[in-house]
Amino acid sequence: MKTQTVIVTGASSGIGKEVARYFLQRGDNVVINSSTADKLETAFKELGGGSHLAMVAGNISDKKTGEKLVATAVEKFGSADVLVNNAGIFETKPFLEVDEAYLDRFLNTNLKGTYFTTQAVIPQMLKQHSGVVINIGTPLVHHALAGVPITAPMSSKGAIHSLTLQLAAEFGKDNIRVNTIAPGTIRTPMHGDDADNTAGLHLLNRIGEVEDVAEMVYTVAKSNFITGAIINVDGGAGAGHNIS
Ligand SMILES: NC(=O)c1ccc[n+]([C@@H]2O[C@H](COP(=O)([O-])OP(=O)(O)OC[C@H]3O[C@@H](n4cnc5c(N)ncnc54)[C@H](OP(=O)(O)O)[C@@H]3O)[C@@H](O)[C@H]2O)c1
């Protein structure tokens, strides 16, 4: 299997860190990012450092961070084959209490971060005439929950799903594939210790683990004919709930 250079945003924690580990363990080159430099350095060490790993700290809503990620991938490893737009934030707040600054936080990190980091990598992928962009969405954009007030994060994640299809259409002729993976509740620091309380939202009656998502990110990266797809890795949560 061809060795790839993989950029993973938000890789100091949770899903992103496991995605980085998954590719590294299988012989690929990985460039990791997150906005907090010391958290990223800790993850870098935890992942073993080494010649197949590089890091770029920075806020992904600033396009310069994406440009540095791509420059690092090309300088150190010679290509930028896969971008995993994983960095993201999620919080709850009732709709009528959301002000512009709060909404902007989600649009900036989740939507603009994904948008501009992709804009930074596509010129390199065009030069290579190949590349894969994998966004991290959520089945909740098509499956609302009355008791969980998340209009701000869902507005940003819904836009990522739409962006996925449009980018896949615009760059398909250039052999650049663009997909979204939509996880159910995954055990990460994002949900603290209460995550298992949502087990019943999933037909499998359990929450997911970071490895469940990393495995699918890897599969999509290594495939050749998947593009414009929204792939749920959600234990069936998008289909129904395990409630008795
Ligand atoms: N966990 C779930 O149940 C679940 C379900 C569906 C979708 N997702 C999505 O999966 C992705 C990863 O979530 P997670 O659960 O692994 O969360 P997490 O453990 O909180 O990790 C989030 C990562 O994103 C980074 N980050 C946040 N804002 C950033 C910014 N502006 N620029 C660069 N990095 C930034 C964080 O690092 P710093 O703090 O250092 O910036 C951290 O490394 C998110 O997009 C999330 O919406 C998660």
Side-chain angles (χ1 to χ4, degrees):
M1 205 175 282
K2 182 181 168 269
T3 300
Q4 293 174 308
T5 298
V6 185
I7 296 169
V8 187
T9 68
S12 67
S13 170
I15 293 170
K17 187 163 70 178
E18 183 58 27
V19 167
R21 189 192 329 268
Y22 207 91
F23 280 96
L24 276 172
Q25 283 176 345
R26 286 157 182 78
D28 292 302
N29 302 310
V30 180
V31 184
I32 55 172
N33 151 271
S34 86
S35 66
T36 317
D38 57 339
K39 272 175 72 182
L40 188 64
E41 275 162 33
T42 303
F44 183 85
K45 285 183 197 145
E46 207 182 302
L47 291 166
S51 59
H52 293 283
L53 183 62
M55 64 177 160
V56 174
N59 186 334
I60 44 130
S61 46
D62 179 355
K63 191 178 169 186
K64 288 195 185 71
T65 302
E67 289 167 348
K68 277 189 214 155
L69 279 162
V70 176
T72 302
V74 173
E75 276 160 29
K76 276 206 80 154
F77 305 120
S79 63
D81 304 300
V82 182
L83 166 64
V84 185
N85 281 310
N86 165 79
I89 53 173
F90 177 89
E91 288 166 28
T92 59
K93 191 185 267 286
F95 176 65
L96 293 178
E97 293 172 22
V98 170
D99 61 17
E100 190 171 357
Y102 181 88
L103 180 59
D104 279 346
R105 281 181 50 224
F106 294 90
L107 297 179
N108 286 339
T109 296
N110 296 352
L111 173 57
K112 288 189 193 170
T114 295
Y115 196 103
F116 288 127
T117 311
T118 305
Q119 212 173 47
V121 82
I122 290 276
Q124 176 63 26
M125 291 180 170
L126 286 171
K127 270 190 220 163
Q128 298 168 184
H129 195 65
S130 77
V132 189
V133 177
I134 300 172
N135 301 321
I136 304 296
T138 165
L140 296 179
V141 302
H142 297 300
H143 198 92
L145 300 169
V148 188
I150 47 174
T151 54
M154 286 314 105
S155 300
S156 62
K157 287 289 186 184
I160 290 172
H161 284 225
S162 303
L163 177 65
T164 300
L165 272 59
Q166 188 58 32
L167 285 176
E170 293 188 20
F171 293 101
K173 66 182 184 315
D174 303 300
N175 193 33
I176 297 171
R177 299 184 292 109
V178 187
N179 295 285
T180 279
I181 289 171
T185 304
I186 306 297
R187 192 185 313 284
T188 73
M190 184 173 269
H191 294 298
D193 296 332
D194 299 331
D196 286 304
N197 296 342
T198 66
L201 286 178
H202 309 75
L203 293 183
L204 293 179
N205 202 26
R206 69 164 177 91
I207 65 165
E209 306 296 338
V210 287
E211 294 81 2
D212 296 325
V213 183
E215 179 188 45
M216 182 55 76
V217 172
Y218 185 83
T219 301
V220 171
K222 300 297 176 186
S223 76
N224 290 309
F225 207 52
I226 303 175
T227 197
I230 308 293
I231 302 165
N232 287 359
V233 179
D234 68 349
H241 303 307
N242 195 315
I243 299 172
S244 42

mmCIF file of all heavy atoms in Angstrom, residues 9-16 33-37 39-40 58-61 65 85-90 108-110 136-139 157 181-191 210, ligand 1:
data_model
loop_
_atom_site.group_PDB
_atom_site.id
_atom_site.type_symbol
_atom_site.label_atom_id
_atom_site.label_comp_id
_atom_site.label_asym_id
_atom_site.label_seq_id
_atom_site.Cartn_x
_atom_site.Cartn_y
_atom_site.Cartn_z
ATOM 1 N N THR A 9 -5.695 17.777 11.841
ATOM 2 C CA THR A 9 -5.921 18.927 12.725
ATOM 3 C C THR A 9 -6.593 18.440 14.008
ATOM 4 O O THR A 9 -7.276 17.414 14.020
ATOM 5 C CB THR A 9 -6.787 20.003 12.040
ATOM 6 O OG1 THR A 9 -8.112 19.495 11.853
ATOM 7 C CG2 THR A 9 -6.187 20.431 10.705
ATOM 8 N N GLY A 10 -6.372 19.189 15.089
ATOM 9 C CA GLY A 10 -6.974 18.814 16.372
ATOM 10 C C GLY A 10 -6.475 17.466 16.856
ATOM 11 O O GLY A 10 -7.246 16.649 17.376
ATOM 12 N N ALA A 11 -5.167 17.238 16.738
ATOM 13 C CA ALA A 11 -4.617 15.907 17.045
ATOM 14 C C ALA A 11 -3.960 15.833 18.416
ATOM 15 O O ALA A 11 -3.255 14.874 18.705
ATOM 16 C CB ALA A 11 -3.627 15.488 15.957
ATOM 17 N N SER A 12 -4.209 16.824 19.280
ATOM 18 C CA SER A 12 -3.616 16.753 20.628
ATOM 19 C C SER A 12 -4.483 15.917 21.563
ATOM 20 O O SER A 12 -4.102 15.681 22.706
ATOM 21 C CB SER A 12 -3.445 18.165 21.200
ATOM 22 O OG SER A 12 -4.709 18.757 21.428
ATOM 23 N N SER A 13 -5.639 15.456 21.073
ATOM 24 C CA SER A 13 -6.627 14.871 21.976
ATOM 25 C C SER A 13 -7.576 13.980 21.188
ATOM 26 O O SER A 13 -7.632 14.056 19.959
ATOM 27 C CB SER A 13 -7.382 16.071 22.599
ATOM 28 O OG SER A 13 -8.505 15.667 23.317
ATOM 29 N N GLY A 14 -8.299 13.124 21.899
ATOM 30 C CA GLY A 14 -9.468 12.427 21.350
ATOM 31 C C GLY A 14 -9.281 11.753 20.003
ATOM 32 O O GLY A 14 -8.308 11.019 19.769
ATOM 33 N N ILE A 15 -10.226 11.976 19.117
ATOM 34 C CA ILE A 15 -10.258 11.296 17.813
ATOM 35 C C ILE A 15 -9.011 11.621 16.993
ATOM 36 O O ILE A 15 -8.383 10.733 16.399
ATOM 37 C CB ILE A 15 -11.541 11.712 17.036
ATOM 38 C CG1 ILE A 15 -12.798 11.178 17.755
ATOM 39 C CG2 ILE A 15 -11.481 11.221 15.593
ATOM 40 C CD1 ILE A 15 -14.118 11.731 17.211
ATOM 41 N N GLY A 16 -8.622 12.898 16.971
ATOM 42 C CA GLY A 16 -7.484 13.314 16.140
ATOM 43 C C GLY A 16 -6.194 12.623 16.551
ATOM 44 O O GLY A 16 -5.411 12.187 15.697
ATOM 45 N N ASN A 33 -1.575 18.824 14.383
ATOM 46 C CA ASN A 33 -1.855 20.226 14.742
ATOM 47 C C ASN A 33 -2.819 20.277 15.915
ATOM 48 O O ASN A 33 -3.652 19.401 16.101
ATOM 49 C CB ASN A 33 -2.506 20.932 13.528
ATOM 50 C CG ASN A 33 -3.444 22.059 13.948
ATOM 51 O OD1 ASN A 33 -4.637 21.847 14.172
ATOM 52 N ND2 ASN A 33 -2.906 23.245 14.101
ATOM 53 N N SER A 34 -2.675 21.317 16.731
ATOM 54 C CA SER A 34 -3.769 21.801 17.587
ATOM 55 C C SER A 34 -3.413 23.221 17.978
ATOM 56 O O SER A 34 -2.309 23.688 17.670
ATOM 57 C CB SER A 34 -3.992 20.905 18.814
ATOM 58 O OG SER A 34 -3.133 21.272 19.874
ATOM 59 N N SER A 35 -4.328 23.928 18.616
ATOM 60 C CA SER A 35 -4.061 25.357 18.841
ATOM 61 C C SER A 35 -3.212 25.605 20.081
ATOM 62 O O SER A 35 -2.588 26.651 20.206
ATOM 63 C CB SER A 35 -5.379 26.144 18.915
ATOM 64 O OG SER A 35 -6.117 25.765 20.032
ATOM 65 N N THR A 36 -3.178 24.649 21.026
ATOM 66 C CA THR A 36 -2.425 24.851 22.274
ATOM 67 C C THR A 36 -1.083 24.123 22.168
ATOM 68 O O THR A 36 -1.033 22.886 22.181
ATOM 69 C CB THR A 36 -3.226 24.284 23.467
ATOM 70 O OG1 THR A 36 -4.587 24.668 23.317
ATOM 71 C CG2 THR A 36 -2.702 24.800 24.790
ATOM 72 N N ALA A 37 0.012 24.916 22.088
ATOM 73 C CA ALA A 37 1.334 24.336 21.778
ATOM 74 C C ALA A 37 1.752 23.264 22.786
ATOM 75 O O ALA A 37 2.242 22.204 22.393
ATOM 76 C CB ALA A 37 2.376 25.446 21.707
ATOM 77 N N LYS A 39 -0.089 21.313 24.713
ATOM 78 C CA LYS A 39 -0.895 20.093 24.542
ATOM 79 C C LYS A 39 -0.400 19.302 23.322
ATOM 80 O O LYS A 39 -0.317 18.074 23.326
ATOM 81 C CB LYS A 39 -2.378 20.448 24.318
ATOM 82 C CG LYS A 39 -3.199 20.585 25.593
ATOM 83 C CD LYS A 39 -4.607 21.052 25.303
ATOM 84 C CE LYS A 39 -5.516 20.026 24.658
ATOM 85 N NZ LYS A 39 -6.869 20.575 24.363
ATOM 86 N N LEU A 40 -0.060 20.036 22.283
ATOM 87 C CA LEU A 40 0.400 19.376 21.047
ATOM 88 C C LEU A 40 1.749 18.695 21.275
ATOM 89 O O LEU A 40 1.974 17.567 20.812
ATOM 90 C CB LEU A 40 0.494 20.412 19.919
ATOM 91 C CG LEU A 40 0.776 19.846 18.531
ATOM 92 C CD1 LEU A 40 -0.357 18.946 18.049
ATOM 93 C CD2 LEU A 40 1.012 20.969 17.519
ATOM 94 N N GLY A 58 -1.208 25.891 16.033
ATOM 95 C CA GLY A 58 -1.860 27.078 15.482
ATOM 96 C C GLY A 58 -3.359 26.874 15.384
ATOM 97 O O GLY A 58 -3.850 25.746 15.306
ATOM 98 N N ASN A 59 -4.050 28.011 15.392
ATOM 99 C CA ASN A 59 -5.510 28.004 15.283
ATOM 100 C C ASN A 59 -5.894 27.758 13.828
ATOM 101 O O ASN A 59 -5.483 28.497 12.935
ATOM 102 C CB ASN A 59 -6.017 29.378 15.751
ATOM 103 C CG ASN A 59 -7.519 29.442 15.818
ATOM 104 O OD1 ASN A 59 -8.217 28.712 15.114
ATOM 105 N ND2 ASN A 59 -8.017 30.305 16.662
ATOM 106 N N ILE A 60 -6.710 26.728 13.588
ATOM 107 C CA ILE A 60 -7.020 26.391 12.190
ATOM 108 C C ILE A 60 -7.981 27.379 11.531
ATOM 109 O O ILE A 60 -8.164 27.337 10.319
ATOM 110 C CB ILE A 60 -7.588 24.964 12.020
ATOM 111 C CG1 ILE A 60 -8.623 24.657 13.082
ATOM 112 C CG2 ILE A 60 -6.506 23.919 11.973
ATOM 113 C CD1 ILE A 60 -9.864 24.125 12.546
ATOM 114 N N SER A 61 -8.608 28.263 12.312
ATOM 115 C CA SER A 61 -9.469 29.233 11.625
ATOM 116 C C SER A 61 -8.644 30.321 10.929
ATOM 117 O O SER A 61 -9.171 31.091 10.132
ATOM 118 C CB SER A 61 -10.500 29.841 12.570
ATOM 119 O OG SER A 61 -9.905 30.219 13.762
ATOM 120 N N THR A 65 -2.275 28.870 9.336
ATOM 121 C CA THR A 65 -1.984 27.587 10.004
ATOM 122 C C THR A 65 -2.046 26.450 8.980
ATOM 123 O O THR A 65 -1.166 25.593 8.932
ATOM 124 C CB THR A 65 -2.974 27.339 11.160
ATOM 125 O OG1 THR A 65 -2.870 28.422 12.080
ATOM 126 C CG2 THR A 65 -2.692 26.034 11.876
ATOM 127 N N ASN A 85 -9.678 16.988 8.478
ATOM 128 C CA ASN A 85 -10.188 18.189 9.148
ATOM 129 C C ASN A 85 -10.970 17.748 10.383
ATOM 130 O O ASN A 85 -12.196 17.633 10.364
ATOM 131 C CB ASN A 85 -11.103 18.969 8.202
ATOM 132 C CG ASN A 85 -10.336 19.792 7.194
ATOM 133 O OD1 ASN A 85 -9.424 20.541 7.552
ATOM 134 N ND2 ASN A 85 -10.714 19.667 5.930
ATOM 135 N N ASN A 86 -10.225 17.504 11.455
ATOM 136 C CA ASN A 86 -10.839 16.937 12.661
ATOM 137 C C ASN A 86 -11.054 17.977 13.763
ATOM 138 O O ASN A 86 -11.976 17.826 14.577
ATOM 139 C CB ASN A 86 -9.940 15.801 13.171
ATOM 140 C CG ASN A 86 -10.286 15.395 14.576
ATOM 141 O OD1 ASN A 86 -11.248 14.659 14.802
ATOM 142 N ND2 ASN A 86 -9.522 15.880 15.559
ATOM 143 N N ALA A 87 -10.208 19.011 13.850
ATOM 144 C CA ALA A 87 -10.311 19.975 14.957
ATOM 145 C C ALA A 87 -11.723 20.525 15.028
ATOM 146 O O ALA A 87 -12.314 20.893 14.010
ATOM 147 C CB ALA A 87 -9.313 21.116 14.756
ATOM 148 N N GLY A 88 -12.270 20.562 16.225
ATOM 149 C CA GLY A 88 -13.632 21.064 16.348
ATOM 150 C C GLY A 88 -14.013 21.284 17.796
ATOM 151 O O GLY A 88 -13.366 20.754 18.712
ATOM 152 N N ILE A 89 -15.032 22.088 17.976
ATOM 153 C CA ILE A 89 -15.554 22.344 19.328
ATOM 154 C C ILE A 89 -17.056 22.063 19.357
ATOM 155 O O ILE A 89 -17.737 22.159 18.329
ATOM 156 C CB ILE A 89 -15.255 23.789 19.801
ATOM 157 C CG1 ILE A 89 -15.751 24.817 18.771
ATOM 158 C CG2 ILE A 89 -13.764 23.974 20.050
ATOM 159 C CD1 ILE A 89 -15.640 26.261 19.246
ATOM 160 N N PHE A 90 -17.527 21.702 20.545
ATOM 161 C CA PHE A 90 -18.942 21.312 20.726
ATOM 162 C C PHE A 90 -19.366 21.741 22.120
ATOM 163 O O PHE A 90 -18.698 21.392 23.110
ATOM 164 C CB PHE A 90 -19.049 19.791 20.586
ATOM 165 C CG PHE A 90 -20.431 19.231 20.810
ATOM 166 C CD1 PHE A 90 -21.331 19.111 19.763
ATOM 167 C CD2 PHE A 90 -20.828 18.802 22.079
ATOM 168 C CE1 PHE A 90 -22.604 18.574 19.966
ATOM 169 C CE2 PHE A 90 -22.098 18.266 22.286
ATOM 170 C CZ PHE A 90 -22.982 18.150 21.222
ATOM 171 N N ASN A 108 -16.105 29.889 13.214
ATOM 172 C CA ASN A 108 -14.668 30.093 12.966
ATOM 173 C C ASN A 108 -13.893 28.785 13.059
ATOM 174 O O ASN A 108 -13.124 28.439 12.161
ATOM 175 C CB ASN A 108 -14.075 31.108 13.956
ATOM 176 C CG ASN A 108 -14.506 32.527 13.614
ATOM 177 O OD1 ASN A 108 -14.897 32.805 12.491
ATOM 178 N ND2 ASN A 108 -14.451 33.407 14.590
ATOM 179 N N THR A 109 -14.065 28.060 14.157
ATOM 180 C CA THR A 109 -13.265 26.834 14.333
ATOM 181 C C THR A 109 -13.771 25.719 13.427
ATOM 182 O O THR A 109 -13.006 25.128 12.653
ATOM 183 C CB THR A 109 -13.295 26.374 15.800
ATOM 184 O OG1 THR A 109 -12.661 27.370 16.590
ATOM 185 C CG2 THR A 109 -12.557 25.061 15.984
ATOM 186 N N ASN A 110 -15.049 25.424 13.501
ATOM 187 C CA ASN A 110 -15.546 24.232 12.795
ATOM 188 C C ASN A 110 -15.652 24.475 11.285
ATOM 189 O O ASN A 110 -15.086 23.714 10.489
ATOM 190 C CB ASN A 110 -16.908 23.823 13.357
ATOM 191 C CG ASN A 110 -16.821 23.385 14.818
ATOM 192 O OD1 ASN A 110 -15.740 23.239 15.374
ATOM 193 N ND2 ASN A 110 -17.958 23.192 15.456
ATOM 194 N N ILE A 136 -14.700 15.780 9.544
ATOM 195 C CA ILE A 136 -15.418 15.092 10.623
ATOM 196 C C ILE A 136 -16.707 15.872 10.902
ATOM 197 O O ILE A 136 -16.679 17.034 11.321
ATOM 198 C CB ILE A 136 -14.559 14.976 11.901
ATOM 199 C CG1 ILE A 136 -13.222 14.266 11.595
ATOM 200 C CG2 ILE A 136 -15.340 14.223 12.979
ATOM 201 C CD1 ILE A 136 -13.314 12.808 11.135
ATOM 202 N N GLY A 137 -17.826 15.212 10.623
ATOM 203 C CA GLY A 137 -19.147 15.823 10.826
ATOM 204 C C GLY A 137 -19.874 15.156 11.969
ATOM 205 O O GLY A 137 -19.263 14.723 12.952
ATOM 206 N N THR A 138 -21.180 15.051 11.837
ATOM 207 C CA THR A 138 -21.986 14.369 12.857
ATOM 208 C C THR A 138 -23.347 13.987 12.274
ATOM 209 O O THR A 138 -23.939 14.776 11.522
ATOM 210 C CB THR A 138 -22.200 15.252 14.108
ATOM 211 O OG1 THR A 138 -23.258 14.672 14.892
ATOM 212 C CG2 THR A 138 -22.591 16.676 13.761
ATOM 213 N N PRO A 139 -23.869 12.795 12.616
ATOM 214 C CA PRO A 139 -25.213 12.432 12.141
ATOM 215 C C PRO A 139 -26.291 13.343 12.713
ATOM 216 O O PRO A 139 -27.404 13.400 12.194
ATOM 217 C CB PRO A 139 -25.395 10.984 12.628
ATOM 218 C CG PRO A 139 -24.336 10.741 13.637
ATOM 219 C CD PRO A 139 -23.239 11.733 13.408
ATOM 220 N N LYS A 157 -21.512 22.399 11.642
ATOM 221 C CA LYS A 157 -21.262 21.039 11.135
ATOM 222 C C LYS A 157 -22.111 20.742 9.892
ATOM 223 O O LYS A 157 -21.672 20.046 8.978
ATOM 224 C CB LYS A 157 -21.548 20.002 12.225
ATOM 225 C CG LYS A 157 -20.497 19.955 13.336
ATOM 226 C CD LYS A 157 -19.181 19.351 12.852
ATOM 227 C CE LYS A 157 -18.202 19.163 13.992
ATOM 228 N NZ LYS A 157 -16.892 18.671 13.532
ATOM 229 N N ILE A 181 -16.819 11.902 7.566
ATOM 230 C CA ILE A 181 -17.141 10.804 8.481
ATOM 231 C C ILE A 181 -17.910 11.406 9.648
ATOM 232 O O ILE A 181 -17.499 12.434 10.215
ATOM 233 C CB ILE A 181 -15.845 10.095 8.925
ATOM 234 C CG1 ILE A 181 -15.303 9.320 7.715
ATOM 235 C CG2 ILE A 181 -16.098 9.171 10.116
ATOM 236 C CD1 ILE A 181 -13.941 8.738 7.896
ATOM 237 N N ALA A 182 -19.048 10.797 9.962
ATOM 238 C CA ALA A 182 -19.956 11.356 10.968
ATOM 239 C C ALA A 182 -20.052 10.392 12.157
ATOM 240 O O ALA A 182 -20.779 9.394 12.106
ATOM 241 C CB ALA A 182 -21.333 11.588 10.341
ATOM 242 N N PRO A 183 -19.294 10.672 13.229
ATOM 243 C CA PRO A 183 -19.301 9.757 14.379
ATOM 244 C C PRO A 183 -20.515 9.958 15.295
ATOM 245 O O PRO A 183 -21.023 11.078 15.439
ATOM 246 C CB PRO A 183 -18.020 10.137 15.153
ATOM 247 C CG PRO A 183 -17.276 11.115 14.292
ATOM 248 C CD PRO A 183 -18.299 11.748 13.394
ATOM 249 N N GLY A 184 -20.940 8.871 15.930
ATOM 250 C CA GLY A 184 -21.892 8.985 17.046
ATOM 251 C C GLY A 184 -21.142 9.535 18.256
ATOM 252 O O GLY A 184 -20.060 10.105 18.125
ATOM 253 N N THR A 185 -21.707 9.338 19.451
ATOM 254 C CA THR A 185 -20.971 9.782 20.641
ATOM 255 C C THR A 185 -19.725 8.919 20.793
ATOM 256 O O THR A 185 -19.806 7.689 20.823
ATOM 257 C CB THR A 185 -21.827 9.615 21.918
ATOM 258 O OG1 THR A 185 -23.053 10.322 21.739
ATOM 259 C CG2 THR A 185 -21.088 10.173 23.133
ATOM 260 N N ILE A 186 -18.581 9.576 20.871
ATOM 261 C CA ILE A 186 -17.291 8.872 20.988
ATOM 262 C C ILE A 186 -16.669 9.259 22.330
ATOM 263 O O ILE A 186 -16.735 10.425 22.740
ATOM 264 C CB ILE A 186 -16.344 9.270 19.830
ATOM 265 C CG1 ILE A 186 -17.019 9.056 18.460
ATOM 266 C CG2 ILE A 186 -15.038 8.493 19.920
ATOM 267 C CD1 ILE A 186 -17.393 7.625 18.117
ATOM 268 N N ARG A 187 -16.065 8.276 22.984
ATOM 269 C CA ARG A 187 -15.429 8.536 24.287
ATOM 270 C C ARG A 187 -14.158 9.380 24.093
ATOM 271 O O ARG A 187 -13.115 8.878 23.688
ATOM 272 C CB ARG A 187 -15.050 7.200 24.949
ATOM 273 C CG ARG A 187 -14.643 7.331 26.416
ATOM 274 C CD ARG A 187 -14.167 5.991 26.987
ATOM 275 N NE ARG A 187 -15.036 4.885 26.685
ATOM 276 C CZ ARG A 187 -16.206 4.633 27.285
ATOM 277 N NH1 ARG A 187 -16.620 5.409 28.258
ATOM 278 N NH2 ARG A 187 -16.950 3.600 26.918
ATOM 279 N N THR A 188 -14.278 10.687 24.319
ATOM 280 C CA THR A 188 -13.128 11.609 24.223
ATOM 281 C C THR A 188 -13.292 12.665 25.318
ATOM 282 O O THR A 188 -14.371 12.782 25.919
ATOM 283 C CB THR A 188 -13.093 12.353 22.867
ATOM 284 O OG1 THR A 188 -14.143 13.333 22.857
ATOM 285 C CG2 THR A 188 -13.229 11.428 21.682
ATOM 286 N N PRO A 189 -12.260 13.481 25.540
ATOM 287 C CA PRO A 189 -12.386 14.552 26.542
ATOM 288 C C PRO A 189 -13.530 15.527 26.248
ATOM 289 O O PRO A 189 -14.016 16.210 27.152
ATOM 290 C CB PRO A 189 -11.027 15.267 26.450
ATOM 291 C CG PRO A 189 -10.088 14.206 25.986
ATOM 292 C CD PRO A 189 -10.884 13.367 25.026
ATOM 293 N N MET A 190 -13.995 15.574 25.002
ATOM 294 C CA MET A 190 -15.095 16.483 24.641
ATOM 295 C C MET A 190 -16.335 16.236 25.495
ATOM 296 O O MET A 190 -17.073 17.157 25.818
ATOM 297 C CB MET A 190 -15.432 16.296 23.157
ATOM 298 C CG MET A 190 -16.472 17.237 22.629
ATOM 299 S SD MET A 190 -16.644 17.069 20.842
ATOM 300 C CE MET A 190 -15.487 18.289 20.258
ATOM 301 N N HIS A 191 -16.589 14.969 25.887
ATOM 302 C CA HIS A 191 -17.809 14.639 26.627
ATOM 303 C C HIS A 191 -17.563 14.357 28.103
ATOM 304 O O HIS A 191 -18.492 13.990 28.827
ATOM 305 C CB HIS A 191 -18.492 13.425 26.001
ATOM 306 C CG HIS A 191 -19.012 13.692 24.632
ATOM 307 N ND1 HIS A 191 -19.985 14.631 24.386
ATOM 308 C CD2 HIS A 191 -18.668 13.180 23.424
ATOM 309 C CE1 HIS A 191 -20.235 14.666 23.090
ATOM 310 N NE2 HIS A 191 -19.443 13.811 22.488
ATOM 311 N N VAL A 210 -12.459 5.860 20.112
ATOM 312 C CA VAL A 210 -11.710 6.601 19.087
ATOM 313 C C VAL A 210 -11.196 5.682 17.973
ATOM 314 O O VAL A 210 -11.127 6.089 16.811
ATOM 315 C CB VAL A 210 -10.551 7.414 19.714
ATOM 316 C CG1 VAL A 210 -11.073 8.619 20.477
ATOM 317 C CG2 VAL A 210 -9.660 6.552 20.609
HETATM 318 N N1 LIG B 1 -16.526 12.971 20.571
HETATM 319 C C1 LIG B 1 -17.687 12.856 19.919
HETATM 320 O O1 LIG B 1 -18.658 12.262 20.428
HETATM 321 C C2 LIG B 1 -17.839 13.437 18.546
HETATM 322 C C3 LIG B 1 -18.989 13.115 17.811
HETATM 323 C C4 LIG B 1 -19.159 13.642 16.539
HETATM 324 C C5 LIG B 1 -18.196 14.487 16.009
HETATM 325 N N2 LIG B 1 -17.091 14.793 16.747
HETATM 326 C C6 LIG B 1 -16.094 15.680 16.153
HETATM 327 O O2 LIG B 1 -14.832 15.055 16.169
HETATM 328 C C7 LIG B 1 -13.813 16.039 16.228
HETATM 329 C C8 LIG B 1 -12.856 15.697 17.361
HETATM 330 O O3 LIG B 1 -13.565 15.697 18.575
HETATM 331 P P1 LIG B 1 -13.030 15.040 19.922
HETATM 332 O O4 LIG B 1 -14.204 14.422 20.578
HETATM 333 O O5 LIG B 1 -11.829 14.226 19.646
HETATM 334 O O6 LIG B 1 -12.682 16.365 20.744
HETATM 335 P P2 LIG B 1 -11.488 16.772 21.694
HETATM 336 O O7 LIG B 1 -10.927 15.597 22.425
HETATM 337 O O8 LIG B 1 -11.997 17.940 22.465
HETATM 338 O O9 LIG B 1 -10.367 17.266 20.663
HETATM 339 C C9 LIG B 1 -10.529 18.420 19.906
HETATM 340 C C10 LIG B 1 -9.208 18.773 19.276
HETATM 341 O O10 LIG B 1 -9.378 19.946 18.461
HETATM 342 C C11 LIG B 1 -8.370 20.895 18.803
HETATM 343 N N3 LIG B 1 -8.860 22.236 18.500
HETATM 344 C C12 LIG B 1 -9.961 22.848 18.999
HETATM 345 N N4 LIG B 1 -10.078 24.077 18.461
HETATM 346 C C13 LIG B 1 -9.026 24.225 17.600
HETATM 347 C C14 LIG B 1 -8.599 25.261 16.742
HETATM 348 N N5 LIG B 1 -9.277 26.409 16.638
HETATM 349 N N6 LIG B 1 -7.478 25.081 16.011
HETATM 350 C C15 LIG B 1 -6.775 23.929 16.087
HETATM 351 N N7 LIG B 1 -7.142 22.902 16.889
HETATM 352 C C16 LIG B 1 -8.253 23.059 17.620
HETATM 353 C C17 LIG B 1 -8.086 20.623 20.279
HETATM 354 O O11 LIG B 1 -6.793 21.039 20.681
HETATM 355 P P3 LIG B 1 -6.451 22.454 21.370
HETATM 356 O O12 LIG B 1 -7.313 22.539 22.578
HETATM 357 O O13 LIG B 1 -4.996 22.394 21.638
HETATM 358 O O14 LIG B 1 -6.762 23.466 20.318
HETATM 359 C C18 LIG B 1 -8.119 19.101 20.304
HETATM 360 O O15 LIG B 1 -6.891 18.576 19.856
HETATM 361 C C19 LIG B 1 -14.528 17.382 16.387
HETATM 362 O O16 LIG B 1 -14.641 18.004 15.126
HETATM 363 C C20 LIG B 1 -15.892 16.982 16.900
HETATM 364 O O17 LIG B 1 -16.889 17.924 16.597
HETATM 365 C C21 LIG B 1 -16.883 14.282 18.003
#
